[in-house]
Amino acid sequence: MQTDRLIAALATDTRTAPRRIGPVLALALLAALPVAVALFMAILGMRSDVRTAMHNPFFDLKFVVTLTLAFAAIVVSLHLTRPEASFGRWGWLLLLPVVVIVSSLAAEMMMPHQRPWLARLIGNNAMACMASIPLFALPFLAAALLALRRGAPANPGLAGMTAGLLAAGLGATLYASHCTDDSPLFVVVWYSIATAFVAAVGVFAGRRMLRY
Amino acid sequence: MRGRDDEWTGLMRAANAGDATAYRRLLEAVAPVLRAATHRGLARAGQPVDQSEDIVQEILLAVHLKRQTWDATAPFAPWLFAIARNKLIDALRRRGRRVFVNIDDFSETMAAPAPSETLSAGEVATHLDGLPSRQRDVLKSIAVESASIKETATRLAMTEGAVRVALHRGLASLAAKLREP
């Protein structure tokens, strides 16, 4: 085929303006939300003392951590859909949830506790946490990857990783409302392991799905 | 190079606002630059340069299908060259080469003329035959026989809307086929 003919064909295909990826990603995640919530309510459900727990700052801090991760990863994911984007320009945003968790760790360490630190770290739900977060992250990861396929990332694995991080942040937000372990020590260990796992799945899927 | 980049950026803004003529002018303006750069990239990697037209067409398809990722407040050239670089590296990898392509290969490049008519049909034409029949017929009518949307609709007994949909899907499937190793 002659290149000038191809160009003519491309110029003919301009009736529908291409849709920006931001709104597409937002819609995809909104569509995944009821799926993840249904899965969550069917398997775990919120903890029974959620009303009193809300007055515990360490219970609330879990949501600050997971939602900071989710929003930072959404911003970085959208940035990485651009072919000329460099990770460094916005990648530092992913340090925000780390800053939040480290500050809450420091706060926790300064407070008096009845249980020793190792007991708080191990908690009661470590295995459930590591299995649940990836499970509830899955609908969000699938939705994010499908939306990000419209992008043109220079590094598809990296783009998949940020999709994994945003999915883990949203999945962990659901799980956090069930889990009775509120210590930042528990969060920093087990939530991180679960998040790393989802991010690794994201890298693997991104390399296959996000190439353009 | 500054004036050229500004001109491209202006054309792409007009294209996004629905100006098909500006879009066509833009693609016609960038094709020779992409051709010269691809030529040079292939030569540096020790590959036969007669494949450069395939890669140029692949870049143009990606530019078209990914144009929503261009930020209208940013200059067009860096975006274009990032896509071109990605496609050139991809093409070289498929041919079993791992090479580093310098972005300067693109930005400093002057235009090269189009190859003569006698060259082989190329990869795009080869993949055309593997498309679903409707997409293939529409693409052949518009991209090979230079028919308009209206003529194609009459010829294939389709509505103009259906021709547009088949054209867009056909271009997307072509790009997907070219990406396969």
Side-chain angles (χ1 to χ4, degrees):
Chain A
M1 189 191 293
Q2 295 296 307
T3 300
D4 53 350
R5 300 251 172 87
L6 176 68
I7 287 174
L10 297 179
T12 310
D13 181 37
T14 46
R15 173 62 69 84
T16 48
R19 277 196 291 168
R20 308 289 306 175
I21 300 168
V24 175
L25 178 63
L27 276 178
L29 292 177
L30 271 179
L33 183 64
V35 179
V37 169
L39 209 58
F40 171 71
M41 295 310 277
I43 298 172
L44 295 179
M46 285 195 199
R47 59 197 262 186
S48 50
D49 65 338
V50 66
R51 277 170 196 284
T52 42
M54 274 192 275
H55 300 294
N56 173 3
F58 286 113
F59 176 73
D60 301 335
L61 260 175
K62 294 194 294 186
F63 298 97
V64 178
V65 175
T66 56
L67 288 173
T68 311
L69 172 65
F71 284 111
I74 286 173
V75 172
V76 179
S77 292
L78 286 175
H79 174 65
L80 291 181
T81 59
R82 295 167 54 183
E84 83 280 30
S86 70
F87 180 71
R89 182 121 177 254
W90 290 98
W92 59 270
L93 275 178
L94 296 175
L95 290 174
L96 284 182
V98 179
V99 170
V100 176
I101 188 73
V102 169
S103 349
S104 52
L105 264 180
E108 145 117 357
M109 287 309 192
M110 283 186 282
M111 289 174 67
H113 287 281
Q114 290 160 347
R115 292 162 71 205
W117 71 269
L118 192 60
R120 281 178 279 140
L121 185 153
I122 293 172
N124 304 312
N125 302 294
M127 290 304 138
C129 168
M130 284 193 297
S132 302
I133 291 177
L135 179 67
F136 303 135
L138 205 61
F140 296 115
L141 180 60
L145 287 168
L146 284 177
L148 295 174
R149 274 173 70 89
R150 290 166 179 270
N155 183 340
L158 192 63
M161 182 196 82
T162 57
L165 289 176
L166 82 82
L170 294 173
T173 304
L174 285 178
Y175 175 73
S177 71
H178 165 82
C179 185
T180 51
D181 289 302
D182 297 331
S183 166
L185 277 168
F186 181 89
V187 175
V188 79
V189 175
W190 307 110
Y191 281 49
S192 301
I193 293 175
T195 300
F197 175 73
V198 182
V201 173
V203 171
F204 185 82
R207 283 194 188 139
R208 274 147 198 84
M209 289 177 66
L210 301 182
R211 281 181 60 224
Y212 74 96
Chain B
M1 295 293 155
R2 179 91 233 158
R4 183 191 76 176
D5 290 359
D6 288 347
E7 191 197 337
W8 289 356
T9 307
L11 284 172
M12 190 63 187
R13 285 212 187 105
N16 275 352
D19 184 345
T21 315
Y23 188 50
R24 187 172 179 161
R25 271 178 56 208
L26 172 70
L27 296 180
E28 282 166 354
V30 301
V33 178
L34 296 175
R35 186 172 294 125
T38 314
H39 230 265
R40 179 132 52 119
L42 284 171
R44 272 197 197 164
Q47 294 286 305
V49 293
D50 59 0
Q51 302 163 341
S52 75
E53 208 56 21
D54 289 336
I55 301 172
V56 168
Q57 295 187 357
E58 212 183 325
I59 297 169
L60 290 171
L61 265 172
V63 163
H64 180 68
L65 295 169
K66 298 298 180 184
R67 63 196 195 281
Q68 68 271 18
T69 66
W70 176 61
D71 173 4
T73 61
F76 179 73
W79 178 86
L80 172 72
F81 295 140
I83 289 186
R85 182 172 174 272
N86 181 297
K87 285 290 160 195
L88 178 57
I89 291 173
D90 229 41
L92 290 168
R93 268 192 198 145
R94 279 203 305 268
R95 291 165 174 85
R97 292 296 172 116
R98 241 175 195 283
V99 273
F100 177 75
V101 179
N102 194 328
I103 190 104
D104 294 340
D105 283 358
F106 286 102
S107 46
E108 300 301 323
T109 302
M110 301 309 291
S116 62
E117 292 266 349
T118 52
L119 279 180
S120 68
E123 257 180 302
V124 172
T126 313
H127 284 299
L128 206 53
D129 291 325
L131 295 184
S133 58
R134 196 141 252 221
Q135 295 175 11
R136 186 194 57 216
D137 294 345
V138 167
L139 260 179
K140 277 199 168 155
S141 169
I142 290 172
V144 182
E145 291 145 31
S146 310
S148 68
I149 295 266
K150 204 169 183 170
E151 288 159 4
T152 306
T154 319
R155 191 187 298 178
L156 299 174
M158 295 165 71
T159 64
E160 288 183 32
V163 170
R164 286 181 194 283
V165 169
L167 171 64
H168 185 76
R169 293 209 180 131
L171 292 170
S173 345
L174 259 187
K177 284 198 179 294
L178 287 167
R179 207 158 46 220
E180 284 164 11

